Amino acid sequence: MNLSRLLAITIALSTINAHPHDNCNNEFFNRVLPSNASTLGTYHVPANGSFGQAADIAYPINATNLPALCAVIVNVTSSATSSYTFGLFLPEDWNQRFIAVGNGGFSGGINWLSMGSVVPYGFATLSTSTGHNSTGQDMTWALNNPESKADWGYRAMHGSVVLGKQLTSAYYSRKLCYSYYAGCSTGGKQGMKEVQKYPSDFDGVLIGAPAWWSTHQQLWQLTVGIINLPEGSPSYIPYSMFPLISNEVLRQCDASDGVLDTIIMDPKKCNFRPQALLCHPGQNTSTCLSPEQIKTWEALHRPIADINNTFVYPNFELGSDAQIPGSFGVYGTNAPSLYGTSYVQNYILDDASWDWKTYNYSVVEIADSLNPGSTNAADFDISPFYERGGKLLHYHGLADGLIPTGASELLYNNYLYNMSAKGINLDDFYRFFLVPGMQHCSGSVGNAPWYMGGVQTIRGVYGVPGFRDREHDALLALMAWVEKDVAPEHIIPTKWNNDTDPSQGVLRQRPICKFPAEATYVGHGNVNASSSWKCVAQV
Ligand SMILES: *[C@@H]1O[C@H](CO)[C@@H](O)[C@H](O)[C@H]1NC(C)=O
Ligand SMILES: *[C@@H]1O[C@H](CO)[C@@H](O)[C@H](O)[C@H]1NC(C)=O
Ligand SMILES: *[C@@H]1O[C@H](CO)[C@@H](O)[C@H](O)[C@H]1NC(C)=O
Ligand SMILES: *[C@@H]1O[C@H](CO)[C@@H](O)[C@H](O)[C@H]1NC(C)=O
Ligand SMILES: *[C@@H]1O[C@H](CO)[C@@H](O)[C@H](O)[C@H]1NC(C)=O
Ligand SMILES: *[C@@H]1O[C@H](CO)[C@@H](O)[C@H](O)[C@H]1NC(C)=O
Ligand SMILES: *[C@@H]1O[C@H](CO)[C@@H](O)[C@H](O)[C@H]1NC(C)=O
Ligand SMILES: *[C@@H]1O[C@H](CO)[C@@H](O)[C@H](O)[C@H]1NC(C)=O
Ligand SMILES: *[C@@H]1O[C@H](CO)[C@@H](O)[C@H](O)[C@H]1NC(C)=O
Ligand SMILES: *[C@@H]1O[C@H](CO)[C@@H](O)[C@H](O)[C@H]1NC(C)=O
Ligand SMILES: *[C@@H]1O[C@H](CO)[C@@H](O)[C@H](O)[C@H]1NC(C)=O
């Protein structure tokens, strides 16, 4: 054996034998990174430790109860005028798999909390900053900044994933067995964009409530704000009235699925009449609606169409009213939500002085023709993802009060049309689940089961305690599909007695079914037990 070959074997052996822990330093990672990227810091986190960055204004909350891991932050130059960072958790007890998690709203920052919810499964876990530093409704960073729009639109996620995978295999000196993605809302859009544009990045993606049609979603947000305004007018419905409406929806719709249990299983089966809330003479007007307010509510619950009856965006489902007064402020206050206005000013028109009062349909046309940052995830030909063996699990809450559930149904149908035309059976690689009563990405109304592990973060908790199996945990369901070819027909979400502390026990479990099937009560047994429900085809 010649000397150089012996040397090569010795080096190879020493790499395999090296404790990965020893690689947890800037020098190691910088040797792996290309010249346009470098570390900003490397940290040892002990078992049960916490990690985060107070300067991360979008995600200031530390991940806690972490397994022992190496945390590294990397800065990547994406153009002459832009850069993004990403965070990577490399656990000592590694499952030989990689996962990337998504962001929320228009936030820029590393999503440490989401990373913390999946790293205990054993994944090398990544989150990208997306290339800017802001909270969710602040889009001022995008003004006249096409490079940062591209970073947010797709470039930062893909670039971070490529480098994150390289760092991971170098760190453990092993190849990755599988790569995954999990995200909701903007995180859902980021996952759909990856599936569409970079189909080889992931073997499996878990996507909730994707904000996939940015150009229409943001302008729909503007439109619903305008429909409800001006504040204080006879047609205006203040946030304080939505609990009243929501209770009435529940009163009229709860039994439409045959079971009185505070869960509306299928809002489309309910023939809701808001007129039941019409004020009687002399009635306290905080407890009823005027005819003008009823018309507003009806307009808010119709698909938005514009000039020449052109479809713009679907409407909220019955049941979503409960989340309207919540933190998203979807209808704005004395002006429409910044999700609409800031988007037009900074993202579409690059005109900070644009006045929402001049809004008209031409803005939608401009948005669609520019599609700045290539942000929309609207390429419905996902056959390359199918052909590489990818699997996609998609869910959306039926009581979502930020992104209408119908947006996901529309996306599902578009994929269906496109794949059918190619003779591909969508069911073989993509399954969609509606979650009755679930709100935007987490939480629920009427004590509906919603928690399925993955990135549905309960701080300091991972997976579904007591139910760490593929039937109850959507991420484990995805892994079983990718790795063992066990395709999920249903998943069983959980509602805890206390949603911040699963150790206080289960309140309810109930299956969600592969669209368009629906969970149906079998007619006997405790309605709160998953065994009392079965998936029934609707057509
Ligand atoms: C983990 O840390 C938390 C807070 O730092 C502490 O309350 C808890 O006892 C620790 N758990 C274990 C298993 O060490
Ligand atoms: C969050 O973690 C960082 C280390 O990453 C630490 O410096 C900071 O004190 C932690 N913050 C809290 C509130 O625990
Ligand atoms: C983000 O901007 C805020 C000011 O708005 C600053 O305090 C913070 O340090 C910045 N964070 C990062 C990661 O640059
Ligand atoms: C990342 O690198 C760019 C140069 O490409 C620099 O402008 C930026 O400040 C760096 N980011 C951080 C957080 O250090
Ligand atoms: C960084 O450089 C590598 C090659 O050195 C190149 O492939 C990659 O596209 C660059 N990344 C960015 C974000 O510019
Ligand atoms: C009207 O109803 C609201 C809400 O129930 C209550 O807070 C308020 O006191 C009532 N006003 C009058 C004049 O009764
Ligand atoms: C609406 O239809 C009319 C008549 O066909 C056409 O002239 C006009 O351009 C259309 N407007 C838009 C915005 O498409
Ligand atoms: C419609 O909006 C565009 C873009 O802001 C504007 O240029 C145009 O003047 C508006 N049209 C009307 C009739 O207000
Ligand atoms: C499928 O999607 C592609 C790319 O988005 C599009 O060009 C094509 O028209 C679609 N085909 C069908 C049948 O919808
Ligand atoms: C839920 O559990 C948390 C943590 O144990 C506790 O602080 C909170 O008070 C509980 N909430 C309710 C409604 O019991
Ligand atoms: C089911 O759970 C609900 C709480 O949402 C409770 O009110 C009801 O009593 C439970 N039903 C049974 C049969 O345990």
Side-chain angles (χ1 to χ4, degrees):
M1 188 182 292
N2 69 35
L3 191 61
S4 68
R5 179 146 165 75
L6 185 64
L7 203 61
I9 290 172
T10 314
I11 290 169
L13 281 176
S14 68
T15 319
I16 289 166
N17 292 337
H19 196 293
H21 198 81
D22 297 337
N23 296 339
C24 188
N25 57 73
N26 291 325
E27 295 70 31
F28 176 81
F29 292 116
N30 282 321
R31 273 202 299 275
V32 181
L33 289 168
S35 60
N36 47 20
S38 62
T39 61
L40 294 173
T42 305
Y43 312 85
H44 288 272
V45 178
N48 197 33
S50 93
F51 193 82
Q53 294 172 291
D56 189 344
I57 56 171
Y59 308 98
I61 302 173
N62 278 15
T64 55
N65 300 75
L66 293 170
L69 57 81
C70 175
V72 54
I73 305 175
V74 173
N75 187 20
V76 185
T77 304
S78 52
S79 77
T81 57
S82 64
S83 60
Y84 53 82
T85 63
F86 66 84
L88 182 62
F89 280 163
L90 298 158
E92 278 185 16
D93 196 0
W94 184 45
N95 67 7
Q96 297 189 37
R97 292 160 179 82
F98 172 89
I99 195 167
V101 300
N103 303 80
F106 285 76
S107 295
I110 296 168
N111 193 345
W112 299 109
L113 198 55
S114 265
M115 290 170 70
S117 67
V118 289
V119 74
Y121 289 81
F123 294 100
T125 303
L126 177 142
S127 165
T128 178
S129 75
T130 73
H132 63 272
N133 171 20
S134 84
T135 51
Q137 299 198 20
D138 175 6
M139 283 159 250
T140 50
W141 54 269
L143 187 71
N144 293 313
N145 192 346
E147 296 293 352
S148 291
K149 288 174 193 171
D151 280 345
W152 188 77
Y154 67 95
R155 200 164 54 188
M157 179 58 77
H158 174 65
S160 299
V161 166
V162 169
L163 293 181
K165 285 183 178 179
Q166 284 170 13
L167 293 183
T168 301
S169 11
Y171 180 78
Y172 298 105
S173 10
R174 297 191 70 149
K175 277 191 165 170
L176 306 173
C177 293
Y178 298 99
S179 296
Y180 292 94
Y181 177 86
C184 193
S185 197
T186 283
K189 181 200 85 76
Q190 290 170 304
M192 287 298 182
K193 191 77 191 176
E194 280 280 308
V195 165
Q196 295 171 12
K197 198 172 170 70
Y198 302 104
S200 61
D201 276 0
F202 301 113
D203 300 292
V205 301
L206 175 60
I207 286 180
W212 65 276
W213 203 9
S214 303
T215 51
H216 284 234
Q217 184 189 322
Q218 305 319 130
L219 296 174
W220 164 83
Q221 284 239 287
L222 193 71
T223 309
V224 288
I226 291 170
I227 287 172
N228 196 31
L229 288 169
E231 193 180 14
S233 70
S235 61
Y236 180 77
I237 312 176
Y239 283 121
S240 61
M241 305 278 307
F242 282 91
L244 175 80
I245 300 172
S246 161
N247 288 338
E248 180 62 18
V249 169
L250 188 63
R251 192 185 70 78
Q252 291 189 37
C253 300
D254 188 358
S256 60
D257 50 40
V259 184
L260 211 57
D261 58 355
T262 67
I263 302 176
I264 304 168
M265 295 302 284
D266 182 355
K268 291 188 178 70
K269 286 185 175 154
C270 178
N271 186 13
F272 180 65
R273 272 185 55 79
Q275 289 76 10
L277 286 171
L278 189 59
C279 292
H280 306 298
Q283 190 176 350
N284 178 343
T285 55
S286 307
T287 64
C288 58
L289 296 180
S290 68
E292 293 82 359
Q293 289 174 317
I294 289 174
K295 286 175 195 163
T296 298
W297 187 90
E298 287 177 329
L300 291 170
H301 281 259
R302 272 196 293 269
I304 296 299
D306 213 302
I307 295 210
N308 294 348
N309 215 14
T310 314
F311 172 73
V312 177
Y313 205 67
N315 54 287
F316 279 137
E317 295 290 349
L318 290 168
S320 59
D321 296 275
Q323 198 172 26
I324 300 302
S327 55
F328 297 119
V330 70
Y331 297 150
T333 46
N334 57 350
S337 157
L338 287 177
Y339 277 128
T341 315
S342 186
Y343 176 74
V344 178
Q345 291 174 338
N346 301 294
Y347 217 83
I348 299 302
L349 298 180
D350 285 323
D351 174 6
S353 70
W354 179 79
D355 180 356
W356 60 266
K357 294 191 179 98
T358 69
Y359 174 72
N360 64 74
Y361 183 68
S362 76
V363 180
V364 180
E365 295 179 311
I366 295 168
D368 278 343
S369 68
L370 297 177
N371 187 18
S374 184
T375 299
N376 280 351
D379 173 356
F380 308 123
D381 181 1
I382 51 172
S383 56
F385 183 69
Y386 163 75
E387 274 147 19
R388 58 89 74 214
K391 300 286 186 288
L392 171 45
L393 273 191
H394 171 187
Y395 60 90
H396 201 135
L398 272 164
D400 193 312
L402 182 62
I403 300 181
T405 318
S408 274
E409 291 184 43
L410 184 63
L411 179 59
Y412 174 88
N413 286 334
N414 283 328
Y415 283 148
L416 181 66
Y417 303 147
N418 212 296
M419 293 303 91
S420 303
K422 297 202 138 160
I424 296 170
N425 183 10
L426 201 55
D427 209 47
D428 290 347
F429 76 109
Y430 168 38
R431 294 188 175 199
F432 172 45
F433 297 82
L434 292 172
V435 193
M438 190 173 98
Q439 299 183 317
H440 188 62
C441 294
S442 66
S444 67
V445 60
N447 289 326
W450 64 272
Y451 182 72
M452 297 175 273
V455 290
Q456 287 186 315
T457 306
I458 298 178
R459 194 168 175 229
V461 171
Y462 102 87
V464 190
F467 303 90
R468 293 210 164 95
D469 56 63
R470 65 176 168 79
E471 214 182 355
H472 297 84
D473 181 315
L475 186 51
L476 296 180
L478 176 65
M479 291 169 76
W481 198 8
V482 167
E483 300 177 18
K484 303 198 170 73
D485 208 20
V486 182
E489 294 293 322
H490 68 261
I491 300 169
I492 303 177
T494 298
K495 167 72 190 175
W496 306 102
N497 285 317
N498 180 334
D499 273 349
T500 61
D501 183 7
S503 74
Q504 293 177 30
V506 172
L507 182 65
R508 284 172 153 174
Q509 290 179 323
R510 183 174 301 182
I512 53 172
C513 306
K514 186 183 74 174
F515 185 83
E518 285 177 13
T520 308
Y521 185 54
V522 296
H524 50 84
N526 189 333
V527 294
N528 298 333
S530 60
S531 57
S532 305
W533 297 77
K534 64 166 194 268
C535 292
V536 175
Q538 297 300 297
V539 280

